Amino acid sequence: MRLKFGMVGGGNGAFIGNVHRHGALMDDLAELVSGCFSRTMEKNLETAQKWGISDSARVYGDYREMAEKEAKRDDGIDFVSITTPNDTHYPIAKCFLEHGIPVMCDKPLALTVKEGEELSALAKEKGLLFGVTYTYTGYAMVKQAREMIDAGVIGNILTISAEYPQEWLLVQMVSGRSDQAVWRMDPARSGPSGCCADIGTHVECLIKKMTGLSVKKVLANFEKLPKEKELPLENNVQILCRFDNDISGMIWTSQVAIGHETDLLIRIFGDKGAIEWQHREPGVLRVTKINEAPQIYTPTRDYDSESCRSLSRLPSGHPEGFFEAFGNLYRGFCSELLKEKYGVDVGSFDYPTVDDGVHGLKFIDACIESNAKGNVWVEL
């Protein structure tokens, strides 16, 4: 059995919308039957035709019409994917929840903690699944790291170091190709934070999923670089963190780091060993036990945990990447929805939920407050 889903956004050649589509279709658990892909109906219909939606009556002019009409259909969608800019996530998600339709939403969940908590409460009140696509949590070796940490391979965690440097914003400033920069640097559309909200929350959620530890307080420093540009939002961030059990950590994120594309790197140091994972080599997990030679773990090997192996679709030695990570998030969401709605058991897989999205918003708010108060510790 396949779930039927619709999509809001993703038209006009948008990168992330097509990633969501591929992720949802990857394991043959869902099919795209409906959508509101663009504000322009001509583009809307073009996208629908390109993506194989045969019934033009299920291509809608706006998301409100889509939610209302799909909720009334006997064969209406089982869930909706929201792939629009940040400022629209809350109203769109709220609308579909109110019509009884589960939601898979691109991050961030909303622009404010209040909005996020309202969506969480509404989803729970109506008993609806709500996933948030923190992409990097979907990699198989991230799951392997969590299993090994939980098993005590590196002992008690002492400290955490993570970074996510990118160069794209500075490149676009120089090149003049500012399609992404236009809305991502607009507080009205992106929210009160730039770099921290855009990629800092990815790091925060990855640390949580990799270690089981939540950020409890932060000391943050925001920079707008180059300073002479007078930019509206920060693009370079340093954050000291305190996690559960008073474990220390630090996060650096940047969109002006020349020479770096999507160089996410996380290191977990324990009293018996260390684990390291980086996005440039997502199929490699480096594990070092104290006073021993480093070990390299790769996917689909007998020494990996069962839950890690279940997230890989290719034989060992064949690289998997970004689309597969997205596919794993949708596999988790769709498998739970199939079990809950139709009693079909296709396995159990993890995915970030609305509560992870709310915690990410609290993380952003605490970092903003810390920076505004002159770089002081602020509790989430």
Side-chain angles (χ1 to χ4, degrees), residues 219-235:
L219 189 158
N221 179 57
F222 286 9
E223 293 183 298
K224 301 173 183 178
L225 303 175
K227 293 180 180 179
E228 62 270 17
K229 289 287 186 179
E230 297 184 2
L231 299 168
L233 295 171
E234 87 286 348
N235 55 26

Side-chain angles (χ1 to χ4, degrees), residues 75-262:
D75 63 346
I77 56 174
D78 293 298
F79 71 92
V80 65
S81 294
I82 300 173
T83 69
T84 53
N86 300 0
D87 59 315
T88 62
H89 292 179
Y90 164 74
I92 297 172
K94 182 180 179 182
C95 180
F96 279 91
L97 290 174
E98 288 174 339
H99 284 84
I101 298 172
V103 172
M104 190 64 149
C105 185
D106 202 52
K107 66 116 267 288
L109 173 62
L111 291 188
T112 68
V113 172
K114 181 180 179 181
E115 289 177 348
E117 289 180 335
E118 183 180 341
L119 292 177
S120 177
L122 184 58
K124 290 177 174 64
E125 175 191 327
K126 290 184 170 289
L128 299 172
L129 297 186
F130 196 132
V132 182
T133 52
Y134 288 101
T135 318
Y136 309 102
T137 66
Y139 283 99
M141 299 318 292
V142 169
K143 171 60 72 174
Q144 176 68 20
R146 176 62 184 270
E147 297 278 341
M148 296 180 78
I149 290 169
D150 285 350
V153 171
I154 65 169
N156 296 315
I157 294 176
L158 301 176
T159 190
I160 298 165
S161 175
E163 61 183 54
Y164 195 167
Q166 300 176 336
E167 66 176 359
W168 74 268
L169 183 57
L170 197 56
V171 169
Q172 290 200 352
M173 287 181 192
V174 173
S175 68
R177 297 193 307 272
S178 58
D179 49 327
Q180 283 277 327
V182 167
W183 76 263
R184 290 192 184 276
M185 290 304 289
D186 180 0
R189 303 191 69 189
S190 213
S193 169
C195 181
C196 183
D198 189 25
I199 56 178
T201 51
H202 269 304
V203 180
E204 175 268 326
C205 191
L206 178 61
I207 290 172
K208 184 179 180 182
K209 294 302 181 183
M210 202 165 175
T211 66
L213 299 173
S214 294
V215 177
K216 294 302 181 182
K217 60 180 180 179
V218 296
L219 189 158
N221 179 57
F222 286 9
E223 293 183 298
K224 301 173 183 178
L225 303 175
K227 293 180 180 179
E228 62 270 17
K229 289 287 186 179
E230 297 184 2
L231 299 168
L233 295 171
E234 87 286 348
N235 55 26
N236 193 68
V237 178
Q238 302 100 6
I239 308 167
L240 294 179
C241 302
R242 286 285 170 179
F243 297 90
D244 296 311
N245 306 320
D246 202 34
I247 293 170
S248 67
M250 56 184 176
I251 296 172
W252 167 52
T253 61
S254 180
Q255 294 162 325
V256 292
I258 293 174
H260 294 273
E261 294 171 341
T262 55

Side-chain angles (χ1 to χ4, degrees), residues 49-67:
Q49 183 178 24
K50 180 180 179 181
W51 288 352
I53 296 179
S54 57
D55 187 354
S56 61
R58 300 185 78 169
V59 183
Y60 301 96
D62 67 74
Y63 70 84
R64 296 177 188 86
E65 178 193 13
M66 178 178 166

Side-chain angles (χ1 to χ4, degrees), residues 253-275:
T253 61
S254 180
Q255 294 162 325
V256 292
I258 293 174
H260 294 273
E261 294 171 341
T262 55
D263 291 349
L264 176 56
L265 169 64
I266 180 169
R267 300 183 179 99
I268 315 296
F269 298 98
D271 58 7
K272 294 181 180 178
I275 282 180

